[in-house]
Amino acid sequence: MESPVFEEFDPASDCDCPGCVHWRRVLPHSRAGRGTAHPAAHRALALAAVASAALGAGHAAPAAAAPHAPHRPGGIPAGDGPDTPQGERAPLHGPAGRPAPQSVAPQPTSLTRAEIIDRAKVWVAAKVPYSMSAYWSDGYRQDCSGYVSMAWKLPGNEWTGSLAQYAQRITKEELQPGDILLFHNAASPTSGSHVTLFGGWTDEAHTTYTAYEQTRPHTRRQATPYAYWSDSDRYVPYRYKGVTTEEPAPGSGSGSPGAPAVTPYPGAAYFGPGANNAYVTRLGRLLVARGAGGAYAAGPGPRWTDADRRATRAFQQAQGWTGADADGLPGPLTWELLVTGKGKDVVGGVVGPPPASHGVPGYPGRAMFRPGADNAYVTRLGQQLVRKGYGRFYEVGPGPLWTEADRRAVEAFQRAQGWRGGAADGYPGPETWRRLFS
């Protein structure tokens, strides 16, 4: 029986202490099991044995000190924590010598959130190698703080101890694309200090977000648990002081006198799971006006929902688009057609079935099945579980509110497929959905 394919993260090395980092650079790497002793300990004991032989039996060599292993809460592999020693503050392109500290931070450059994310994507696409001493062609140091300095278009290279002067502290609920999550370990700056760029929530419960970060081996963009894999409680949200706080009012824009007002496309970061802004409302109203109102049980609002995606997909399909061009997420062309009134309307208000997720028809996405979820997909899931013989977990019939009964029923179904561990956690992924409804 085939096991489902689940999303994985970058392979992690067994240890990221400074000793192992050094030896991985100079020796061939051999992946030892986690039950084996720390590789630095093997080397220390070997050196101790050689020293003992040289000194003779009457001179015992001192015992090797037990190496210190970084703490990883919750059994997280060491490689999932930051292995990000960083350079000091430096001008662009990093001439030798540390610049004199400034008493007042320079005036921040004004940037929109979309511009910050677009700048961050440049390094992701280039897979800029991690380095605390090298500088990329744009002049920014190739470490975590240099990456944020680049994304924020700062006048020089900052480090985790100085980035906060360009920002203001915010709460988790206030996080938006372009903000950062900063952990500066003042007691030992090279131990754990790290910073990631917030790219938006990946789920409705705000437990996971898209992190843009500079880490070994190169710049990456991946779903990351809030606030980070390790030392999560020590990361602090900050907002760049130069971020443009006033978005163009939906429905306003430039154009020739007497022409309809046009709102420029704000960027992909404003749409998708976790988005909550005026552009989502504007999108929904435009879609309703173009015949896709059947997707909405209630009027469009600022929080992105599956209704927005279904309506967008219906409009894209009305243009004759298929595949990735009709994924339900508005790109620049979709937005242009909507705000200018061009293109074809959705005929008869038909929005079609929910868009396929992960290639599985009807699967709405993981965010629909989490504590606090309340939607028709939960009801549909529960009813199908009852049909499949897992109704014993429900004291009353399945309903739209996600409960422990739903999770236990899903877990039992997953175990019946032969899955164990994280593959049988009680939360339906695309493969669980496919097998349940096939």
Side-chain angles (χ1 to χ4, degrees):
M1 178 180 296
E2 273 190 342
S3 294
V5 177
F6 292 90
E7 293 181 1
E8 297 290 348
F9 297 103
D10 293 342
S13 60
D14 287 333
C15 180
D16 64 354
C17 74
C20 283
V21 170
H22 167 72
W23 287 109
R24 280 201 296 273
R25 291 178 184 142
V26 299
L27 293 177
H29 180 54
S30 173
R31 293 188 67 83
R34 298 214 181 265
T36 62
H38 192 287
H42 288 301
R43 298 187 189 93
L45 290 172
L47 291 173
V50 172
S52 177
L55 291 171
H59 302 276
H68 171 70
H71 172 61
R72 303 291 179 206
I76 295 170
D80 285 334
D83 181 11
T84 54
Q86 57 184 314
E88 300 176 332
R89 293 180 64 191
L92 294 181
H93 301 287
R98 183 171 182 173
Q102 297 170 340
S103 57
V104 180
Q107 184 66 28
T109 302
S110 295
L111 292 171
T112 65
R113 297 187 181 281
E115 286 173 327
I116 293 173
I117 297 300
D118 286 343
R119 290 176 65 83
K121 289 178 178 178
V122 172
W123 276 30
V124 173
K127 295 185 177 180
V128 175
Y130 184 90
S131 174
M132 62 180 289
S133 57
Y135 294 79
W136 197 238
S137 57
D138 54 18
Y140 291 97
R141 192 176 54 246
Q142 295 166 213
D143 59 11
C144 63
S145 48
Y147 180 49
V148 170
S149 298
M150 180 278 298
W152 282 0
K153 206 174 182 179
L154 300 183
N157 287 282
E158 301 298 325
W159 70 306
T160 56
S162 62
L163 277 171
Q165 70 175 320
Y166 289 90
Q168 58 184 358
R169 188 165 178 170
I170 58 175
T171 65
K172 173 184 176 181
E173 290 71 27
E174 293 174 310
L175 276 167
Q176 295 185 51
D179 297 335
I180 63 171
L181 289 162
L182 175 66
F183 168 33
H184 176 62
N185 187 357
S188 181
T190 59
S191 299
S193 295
H194 190 47
V195 61
T196 70
L197 192 68
F198 182 83
W201 297 109
T202 62
D203 64 340
E204 296 287 346
H206 292 185
T207 61
T208 309
Y209 68 100
T210 298
Y212 292 84
E213 61 178 326
Q214 180 68 354
T215 187
R216 301 184 192 277
H218 52 67
T219 321
R220 71 181 180 185
R221 171 187 180 274
Q222 72 171 15
T224 301
Y226 184 84
Y228 201 68
W229 303 99
S230 59
D231 295 308
S232 180
D233 59 334
R234 304 182 71 177
Y235 281 76
V236 179
Y238 282 94
R239 174 163 300 155
Y240 176 47
K241 292 179 180 177
V243 72
T244 302
T245 56
E246 293 185 4
E247 301 172 348
S252 67
S254 59
S256 58
V262 174
T263 305
Y265 179 64
Y270 286 87
F271 306 104
N276 187 350
N277 56 76
Y279 288 105
V280 176
T281 305
R282 172 68 171 163
L283 173 75
R285 290 172 178 169
L286 289 169
L287 289 165
V288 170
R290 302 300 294 274
Y296 296 93
R303 183 178 296 278
W304 178 270
T305 67
D306 186 60
D308 296 297
R309 187 172 183 184
R310 292 178 63 197
T312 302
R313 184 169 182 258
F315 178 76
Q316 291 168 333
Q317 289 178 329
Q319 313 313 307
W321 305 344
T322 59
D325 293 329
D327 60 359
L329 298 172
L333 182 54
T334 301
W335 182 263
E336 180 184 350
L337 292 177
L338 285 169
V339 298
T340 60
K342 299 178 181 178
K344 300 178 181 178
D345 292 345
V346 178
V347 179
V350 178
V351 295
S357 179
H358 295 73
V360 179
Y363 179 65
R366 299 177 190 274
M368 296 294 105
F369 310 104
R370 285 292 182 268
D374 188 347
N375 57 74
Y377 295 109
V378 177
T379 303
R380 184 181 175 193
L381 173 77
Q383 291 172 343
Q384 186 67 4
L385 286 164
V386 171
R387 294 189 191 101
K388 290 285 187 176
Y390 297 91
R392 65 185 183 277
F393 296 98
Y394 295 94
E395 294 183 4
V396 295
L401 180 64
W402 177 268
T403 66
E404 179 64 11
D406 296 296
R407 194 199 67 77
R408 292 179 61 200
V410 172
E411 180 184 11
F413 176 78
Q414 291 169 331
R415 289 186 175 277
Q417 311 308 303
W419 305 340
R420 297 293 182 268
D425 60 359
Y427 296 100
E431 182 63 15
T432 299
W433 186 273
R434 185 184 69 79
R435 294 192 182 197
L436 189 58
F437 287 93
S438 61

